[in-house]
Amino acid sequence: MFKICKAKDGEPTTSEKVKIKKKSKVPGVMITQYVEELPDDMTTPEFIRKPIALTIPEGKLAIFRAIVTGKPTPTVTWVRNNGEINEERYKIVYDASSGEHQLQMPHVAVDQSDTYKCFARNEYGKAVVTAALNVIEVGYKKSRALQESRTEQTKPEINEKFWELLLSADKKDYESICAQYGVTDFRWMLKKLNEKKIEREQEQQRVVERLCNLKPVEMRADGAAEFELEMLLKDPASKVFLFKDGIMIPFNADTSEKHGLRQVGKKFVFSIKGVDPDDAGLYQVEVGGVKIFSTELKLPAVDFLVKIQEVKAEERQDAVFECVLSHPLKKITWLGKNTPLQQGDKYDITVSEDMLIHTLVVKDCLQLDKGIYAAVAGLKSCSAWLVVKADNDPNLHGKKKAQPFSLNLPASKDCSLETPPFFSVPLKMHNSPQSYECYMSCAVAGNPRPHVTWYKNNISLNTNTNYYITNTCGVCSMMILKVGPQDSGDYTVIAENPLGRVECSTKLVVKGKIFTSHFFITL
């Protein structure tokens, strides 16, 4: 025989005067201590194994299992939130060999779906843990809604912004958006996205005849940003609205305004002038209360560790501009006399493998190529002159050599430029989905040039071929091409020269497995 318990039996008795909450080593377990100080060798109850939530078809055997510890040995009881635990439908079993307490429900029924609690008590305290039982109806009773609700319960809460971006994105961008929001199940994502697309298209058909050529927001060379779409409205008099992070913002056909709209036939071009950090966010176009297009303006937190410098070149020679970034970018904007430059016969634009060093080569320089050139990365920019010396420049060929002259200067004092190492850009915390690429970088300076060593959990990585490590102009980077659970841990960079030694550390957290084989599913 055992005691029939209701939920109220889990409440403390009047003799439990002291109530000290203790932190359990097991997540989800609550411990209460009844005395100010525990006697020697005595402990409050604790769960070594806690019962977990169950989802099981009706008619099967459902079992909650628990293993507890404590001195003196705790007494274990089970209670149900809404109803009683009786001998007819429940069995309480204790296995002395394994120390496991069980609450068994043979031929479990739908009405036994509930929240259950397991209490472990001794004279010094109690521990309690809660577990849910979900019993599924079988046969024709099982509704589609129940299946969907179960599926939703197993998925994390997804920001609605994630779906808005996917609905307007190109398929090639799905993977990067999923990585940004930590979504790893592509099969589930594509199924949900397909459902949302059908709903969105049905809504859009009320106000739009045709919608195509959606181009996400991009920064322009002049410091503005713009995005565009082609849209044929059913009612040409319909009003078009622009929202940023859910708040409607005014715009004007006058391009001198902060937010502008330029319309040419079916083409709508929205612009954001003089972009600053406050302009980052989700932009949405609506017509008649229906969402038409969503795009996110992201401004990378990047700066120039090494700016481009003035270049002097002879006619018919190549001129090279080079800069080093604090954070990897696949592409930056190059300007020549305020005009965007493109890869081609005249210009060669390249980026290093670690995406930190960006190079512009002006080929076969002529007098008309001289002027100011600029590199633009996000909101940061730097510029320098290109000086092209003519063939008849006397300073180049010595046809008219300058007269020698002498200048007497006072004796200079010795000045040492040596400095100990220091980090101008430290390492940052990283969260990376499994199977994705992970990149870490920092910037270190010092004179003499510091020697840099990477460590993971205090083990040197400099000779480990699983990690791609580079040091370019003081930008120290490490790349893991395919992150796995074994890559989680603490990473440290140590820089040292004869004048000193510094270090900085970060932690890499690997989130979960990416099922890349499901990515190429046709919608």
Side-chain angles (χ1 to χ4, degrees):
M1 296 293 290
F2 61 88
K3 183 180 179 183
I4 298 174
C5 299
K6 296 184 180 181
K8 64 183 181 181
D9 294 320
E11 300 300 322
T13 65
T14 54
S15 62
E16 300 168 5
K17 295 181 181 180
V18 178
K19 299 176 185 177
I20 301 174
K21 299 296 182 182
K22 293 181 62 179
K23 186 175 181 180
S24 172
K25 296 179 181 178
V26 180
V29 176
M30 293 184 293
I31 300 176
T32 305
Q33 184 173 307
Y34 299 153
V35 295
E36 292 287 352
E37 294 186 7
L38 289 169
D40 292 341
D41 298 328
M42 296 293 128
T43 61
T44 54
E46 171 67 291
F47 281 85
I48 297 177
R49 176 179 179 177
K50 68 174 184 177
I52 60 174
L54 298 176
T55 299
I56 192 167
E58 63 177 336
K60 300 291 184 179
L61 171 64
I63 304 177
F64 283 124
R65 307 172 187 271
I67 299 177
V68 300
T69 184
K71 192 173 182 181
T73 302
T75 301
V76 175
T77 56
W78 301 84
V79 301
R80 179 179 172 180
N81 193 48
N82 297 306
E84 295 184 349
I85 294 178
N86 54 56
E87 291 180 324
E88 296 177 1
R89 307 181 70 186
Y90 297 86
K91 290 183 179 179
I92 293 181
V93 177
Y94 174 66
D95 185 346
S97 60
S98 63
E100 186 176 82
H101 296 265
Q102 298 181 1
L103 176 63
Q104 299 182 359
M105 291 157 269
H107 308 291
V108 69
V110 175
D111 63 350
Q112 289 175 281
S113 295
D114 203 348
T115 300
Y116 292 78
K117 291 182 180 180
C118 182
F119 288 88
R121 292 189 181 88
N122 64 17
E123 60 186 282
Y124 299 111
K126 71 172 181 181
V128 59
V129 67
T130 302
L133 172 64
N134 181 29
V135 182
I136 305 170
E137 293 179 316
V138 297
Y140 293 105
K141 298 178 184 178
K142 183 169 60 177
S143 66
R144 181 179 176 183
L146 179 59
Q147 295 181 62
E148 291 177 350
S149 65
R150 287 180 55 210
T151 302
E152 293 297 329
Q153 289 172 5
T154 61
K155 297 299 175 186
E157 190 70 26
I158 303 296
N159 192 321
E160 190 60 29
K161 185 176 176 182
F162 168 76
W163 298 113
E164 289 298 328
L165 291 174
L166 281 179
L167 285 167
S168 299
D170 228 15
K171 287 185 180 180
K172 62 181 177 61
D173 298 322
Y174 286 178
E175 189 171 0
S176 61
I177 295 173
C178 287
Q180 178 184 347
Y181 286 86
V183 175
T184 59
D185 189 342
F186 285 129
R187 183 183 292 276
W188 168 80
M189 178 276 289
L190 290 171
K191 180 181 177 182
K192 292 290 294 181
L193 180 60
N194 194 35
E195 295 172 0
K196 289 179 177 289
K197 276 192 172 183
I198 293 172
E199 294 176 4
R200 179 61 57 85
E201 288 170 0
Q202 290 174 347
E203 292 177 356
Q204 291 176 346
Q205 286 173 3
R206 295 193 290 109
V207 295
V208 175
E209 285 281 358
R210 186 165 177 259
L211 181 66
C212 60
N213 294 332
L214 308 176
K215 294 185 179 180
V217 65
E218 287 187 349
M219 288 292 298
R220 293 196 322 224
D222 60 359
E226 66 180 26
F227 59 94
E228 63 182 64
L229 63 149
E230 289 187 19
M231 176 172 60
L232 180 59
L233 298 172
K234 285 192 171 182
D235 180 4
S238 298
K239 289 187 176 181
V240 179
F241 297 94
L242 181 63
F243 292 80
K244 176 183 177 291
D245 295 330
I247 301 173
M248 188 171 68
I249 54 177
F251 61 88
N252 198 298
D254 183 357
T255 55
S256 64
E257 297 290 331
K258 176 69 175 179
H259 301 96
L261 169 62
R262 185 175 72 257
Q263 182 180 355
V264 181
K266 296 179 293 183
K267 187 175 180 180
F268 293 76
V269 181
F270 294 86
S271 60
I272 308 162
K273 187 177 180 183
V275 172
D276 57 47
D278 291 337
D279 292 320
L282 180 69
Y283 288 82
Q284 294 176 295
V285 178
E286 287 192 9
V287 176
V290 177
K291 290 183 174 67
I292 302 298
F293 181 56
S294 300
T295 183
E296 185 178 20
L297 175 58
K298 294 189 291 185
L299 302 175
V302 64
D303 203 348
F304 289 92
L305 295 179
V306 178
K307 298 180 178 181
I308 61 174
Q309 304 294 321
E310 180 183 294
V311 176
K312 294 181 180 179
E314 296 183 21
E315 281 188 314
R316 319 308 300 187
Q317 288 186 342
D318 294 346
V320 180
F321 291 97
E322 192 170 77
C323 60
V324 181
L325 304 182
S326 62
H327 189 80
L329 280 183
K330 291 183 180 179
K331 181 181 178 183
I332 67 172
T333 301
W334 288 96
L335 303 176
K337 292 177 279 189
N338 293 322
T339 302
L341 307 179
Q342 302 295 334
Q343 174 73 31
D345 294 336
K346 184 62 180 177
Y347 304 104
D348 190 12
I349 298 173
T350 59
V351 59
S352 62
E353 189 174 353
D354 58 9
M355 294 182 286
L356 290 174
I357 304 172
H358 294 256
T359 306
L360 168 68
V361 179
V362 184
K363 304 175 186 176
D364 193 21
C365 290
L366 301 173
Q367 285 297 315
L368 57 85
D369 294 320
K370 64 183 179 182
I372 296 179
Y373 287 75
V376 181
L379 296 179
K380 301 290 185 176
S381 65
C382 58
S383 60
W385 277 89
L386 169 59
V387 179
V388 180
K389 298 182 178 180
D391 287 337
N392 59 0
D393 190 334
N395 293 324
L396 284 176
H397 303 288
K399 294 179 181 178
K400 296 180 181 179
K401 294 184 179 179
Q403 292 298 320
F405 66 96
S406 61
L407 180 64
N408 296 322
L409 296 175
S412 60
K413 297 180 180 179
D414 292 336
C415 179
S416 174
L417 298 177
E418 293 186 345
T419 59
F422 66 93
F423 287 98
S424 56
V425 179
L427 291 171
K428 297 179 180 178
M429 175 78 83
H430 287 268
N431 290 286
S432 177
Q434 189 174 332
S435 299
Y436 269 75
E437 193 177 87
C438 179
Y439 178 90
M440 300 183 190
S441 69
C442 62
V444 64
N447 188 20
R449 182 179 178 181
H451 175 72
V452 176
T453 308
W454 286 79
Y455 293 88
K456 175 180 178 286
N457 298 333
N458 298 321
I459 299 174
S460 175
L461 302 178
N462 279 31
T463 58
N464 191 327
T465 57
N466 294 323
Y467 300 88
Y468 181 68
I469 296 174
T470 60
N471 185 350
T472 306
C473 299
V475 179
C476 308
S477 62
M478 183 189 70
M479 183 179 292
I480 308 172
L481 295 178
K482 194 173 182 181
V483 173
Q486 72 279 1
D487 295 311
S488 293
D490 296 316
Y491 288 79
T492 302
V493 175
I494 295 179
E496 50 191 339
N497 69 9
L499 300 180
R501 178 179 182 272
V502 291
E503 66 178 70
C504 66
S505 301
T506 187
K507 181 180 289 291
L508 171 61
V509 179
V510 178
K511 292 182 179 178
K513 188 170 183 179
I514 295 290
F515 299 99
T516 53
S517 59
H518 300 325
F519 183 69
F520 299 100
I521 296 175
T522 303
L523 292 176

